[in-house]
Amino acid sequence: MGQAISLPFKIASTTLTFYRGFFYYLCGKGRYTSYLPPSSSSSESTTIPSYLQAPSTATGNDNDDAENITISSSSWTISNFSKSPLFYQHARVHLYSLASAFYLYNKPHYRKLSYKQDIVDNFANVAIPGTGLPLSLFVWNKPLALGLVCTASPICSFIASIHLWLKTRGKSSISNEYAIRLLAPDDWFSYWRLNCRVAGMHALLNDIPAGYEMENKWTFLEEGSKCDVPVSPYLDCPAIVVKHRNEEGGLGIHFYRNATDGGDWIIQERILNGDWVTQHLPQNAPLSTFRVITQSRGALDVSKKCAVEDVTALSCVFRAGRMGALTDHDSILFDVDVKTGKVLGGTTNAHWYRLGLHEVLPGRCPWRSSDHDITHHPDGDIPVSGSVVPNIREMLHLVETSHWKLCPDVPLVGWDVVLSADEKLPVCLLEVNLSCNFFRGSFDRKVYLDFLEDMVGRLQEMRLMADRDGKKFK
């Protein structure tokens, strides 16, 4: 009874913290002063408001879940996570970056004319699960986007906390889950957007370092070849002609001019899944890749030389493609232990891509995906969890050295790695993603959050300098 009575007050307190923290970084003192973590010895450390600092009693080591607080990819299963120092650190970074989206909104983006255009394009096929409405409808201007943040964030967080409480039959804490969803969200979408906002700020304030050109796949293939990075092979031919088998005469002929000859198309050799990948997939499955995320501390100061030791592989996910799918975007996401190569449980993120008003009907769209409890590929009941990815250390070393060689001035990179059937090129890189997401892979939270907080501190100093200089971004 006491918990039920206190619940509204806890919800209200968390909601107030969200609004105070968001507007603190959007237009309050946090917008115009240095970003300093509370561990700083400087007297200015008080610029971090008290409600975003962990209580002095919070150590993160006073329960049996201390290790999971650091490495797990799901927070709701961890008791007392919302009282740990990492929770408050995550909340600060999240709220700062969320507010920075409005600073970026009309400014140039490294791959679009503006940050606005980038989020409109990226949100066109993404919806809050169960709504069916593409999020692009709500970000066409700043007031609309601000309204989305101020209303959808607390409402969806509350619904998610109630949903989890019902799903676990009362075993979860509504107030703790609400705090996690609202202040330190660790779902697929929130990590993706956090990484995107950091990339957008970093590229803008550093005048788009050269490494961001790797997002252009043709540049990536050319530079990778020059640096002896094993990239996916391409054909050096002027053009390719494709004819539909059921079209008469010249009606079904299409010409594709190769990028090697100044065209817009990259014509590549077909890559086939290697033996290890094939045995974990159903028949007629697409090329299935590993998504590996790396971070580079060399991006903190792009004027300094980066060492390969500054680059760290954070996570690895095996994207096991579905039967009949064209690409592994439709896949089961199996987490991989980066230390051992052991394949852990699988999950999906497909519920974020369910569009259409019919998705609001009961039973149509799940509110959340499974918490890594898939052990077999559903197309054929093929066992996947428990297998060991061959030569995981070599794979991680490849992406770390590739990040160092090709784009050490980019904070986070998502690599699509192929274990292929080609004996001459058994491991190769398909492409890079610089506004990347973890695809729900697990990683060391402390390593990641320490890096992001260092990055945010650096970016805030650069933003204040740009304000003082009246810098115009082009």
Side-chain angles (χ1 to χ4, degrees):
M1 178 62 71
Q3 292 181 355
I5 295 175
S6 66
L7 179 60
F9 297 98
K10 292 180 178 179
I11 296 295
S13 176
T14 298
T15 306
L16 179 61
T17 296
F18 170 77
Y19 286 128
R20 291 174 72 189
F22 173 68
F23 284 103
Y24 174 80
Y25 289 121
L26 178 69
C27 54
K29 186 177 181 181
R31 167 63 183 88
Y32 303 103
T33 56
S34 298
Y35 179 100
L36 293 172
S39 59
S40 173
S41 59
S42 169
S43 60
E44 288 187 294
S45 62
T46 54
T47 58
I48 296 291
S50 59
Y51 52 84
L52 292 179
Q53 296 186 37
S56 58
T57 56
T59 64
N61 296 315
D62 56 355
N63 59 72
D64 295 335
D65 292 312
E67 182 180 2
N68 288 332
I69 286 178
T70 302
I71 66 173
S72 176
S73 61
S74 296
S75 297
W76 70 265
T77 56
I78 305 170
S79 61
N80 298 323
F81 176 73
S82 61
K83 298 180 176 64
S84 71
L86 285 181
F87 170 83
Y88 287 90
Q89 187 179 23
H90 192 161
R92 292 193 298 270
V93 172
H94 171 66
L95 293 173
Y96 175 90
S97 73
L98 190 60
S100 72
F102 295 89
Y103 172 79
L104 290 170
Y105 191 80
N106 289 314
K107 293 182 173 62
H109 189 266
Y110 71 89
R111 62 186 179 190
K112 298 288 182 178
L113 293 177
S114 68
Y115 179 79
K116 167 194 170 179
Q117 191 59 55
D118 189 68
I119 57 174
V120 167
D121 291 348
N122 274 285
F123 285 3
N125 64 342
V126 179
I128 297 173
T131 66
L133 296 174
L135 284 171
S136 56
L137 296 176
F138 304 98
V139 293
W140 277 101
N141 56 55
K142 276 188 178 182
L144 198 61
L146 183 62
L148 177 70
V149 169
C150 292
T151 58
S153 295
I155 290 173
C156 291
S157 297
F158 184 70
I159 293 174
S161 63
I162 296 295
H163 176 270
L164 182 63
W165 184 77
L166 293 172
K167 186 176 181 180
T168 61
R169 300 181 180 181
K171 293 181 180 179
S172 67
S173 166
I174 294 176
S175 60
N176 284 341
E177 174 66 6
Y178 180 70
I180 292 167
R181 293 297 123 234
L182 188 58
L183 298 177
D186 60 352
D187 57 89
W188 164 85
F189 178 82
S190 297
Y191 275 135
W192 172 45
R193 296 317 307 164
L194 172 56
N195 292 343
C196 289
R197 293 189 292 264
V198 169
M201 283 282 286
H202 183 270
L204 177 75
L205 295 170
N206 285 285
D207 299 317
I208 310 183
Y212 283 92
E213 296 179 8
M214 294 302 108
E215 188 100 56
N216 181 307
K217 188 172 182 180
W218 178 239
T219 302
F220 163 66
L221 293 176
E222 280 195 312
E223 294 302 315
S225 298
K226 293 177 184 176
C227 296
D228 294 324
V229 172
V231 296
S232 52
Y234 57 88
L235 300 177
D236 189 9
C237 60
I240 188 171
V241 181
V242 178
K243 182 182 186 301
H244 193 283
R245 64 180 180 178
N246 291 325
E247 291 287 351
E248 182 180 356
L251 297 178
I253 295 179
H254 304 275
F255 294 86
Y256 298 92
R257 189 176 181 186
N258 201 343
T260 60
D261 198 47
D264 295 326
W265 297 89
I266 298 173
I267 302 173
Q268 295 184 271
E269 299 178 24
R270 185 183 180 190
I271 306 174
L272 300 177
N273 291 312
D275 290 341
W276 185 93
V277 175
T278 300
Q279 69 182 11
H280 294 94
L281 298 175
Q283 292 184 350
N284 196 26
L287 180 69
S288 296
T289 61
F290 292 81
R291 167 56 63 88
V292 183
I293 303 293
T294 54
Q295 68 178 31
S296 170
R297 297 194 69 85
L300 289 169
D301 187 345
V302 299
S303 67
K304 296 181 179 179
K305 188 175 181 179
C306 175
V308 68
E309 293 79 15
D310 293 326
V311 180
T312 305
L314 293 175
S315 68
C316 179
V317 171
F318 172 43
R319 300 191 293 192
R322 303 299 300 271
M323 180 184 295
L326 295 177
T327 71
D328 62 0
H329 285 208
D330 183 6
S331 61
I332 306 299
L333 309 172
F334 286 96
D335 192 13
V336 177
D337 187 330
V338 293
K339 295 181 179 179
T340 65
K342 183 179 179 179
V343 181
L344 308 176
T347 185
T348 67
N349 63 354
H351 57 306
W352 282 92
Y353 294 96
R354 302 279 288 270
L355 302 180
L357 293 180
H358 59 284
E359 296 295 343
V360 304
L361 298 175
R364 282 290 307 178
C365 181
W367 182 255
R368 68 174 78 219
S369 56
S370 62
D371 189 32
H372 293 88
D373 57 6
I374 300 175
T375 59
H376 289 59
H377 197 298
D379 302 330
D381 197 32
I382 304 167
V384 180
S385 294
S387 299
V388 178
V389 179
N391 302 321
I392 185 68
R393 188 57 252 172
E394 287 79 356
M395 181 193 296
L396 300 183
H397 179 70
L398 168 62
V399 294
E400 288 171 343
T401 55
S402 297
H403 193 160
W404 171 62
K405 289 180 179 180
L406 297 176
C407 46
D409 47 10
V410 175
L412 294 155
V413 176
W415 304 89
D416 290 343
V417 185
V418 177
L419 297 185
S420 79
D422 188 345
E423 294 182 356
K424 297 179 180 178
L425 199 64
V427 182
C428 69
L429 304 178
L430 194 62
E431 63 180 9
V432 298
N433 302 271
L434 308 184
S435 292
C436 54
N437 70 74
F438 292 99
F439 284 105
R440 299 199 66 192
S442 60
F443 52 90
D444 189 315
R445 291 176 192 268
K446 181 168 176 53
V447 171
Y448 172 69
L449 291 174
D450 283 350
F451 171 68
L452 284 193
E453 194 144 60
D454 288 344
M455 179 60 69
V456 164
R458 172 67 176 168
L459 294 178
Q460 178 65 0
E461 291 298 326
M462 296 182 70
R463 177 158 63 159
L464 295 176
M465 187 180 300
D467 290 343
R468 290 193 295 268
D469 296 343
K471 184 175 181 177
K472 303 295 182 181
F473 297 100
K474 299 180 181 180

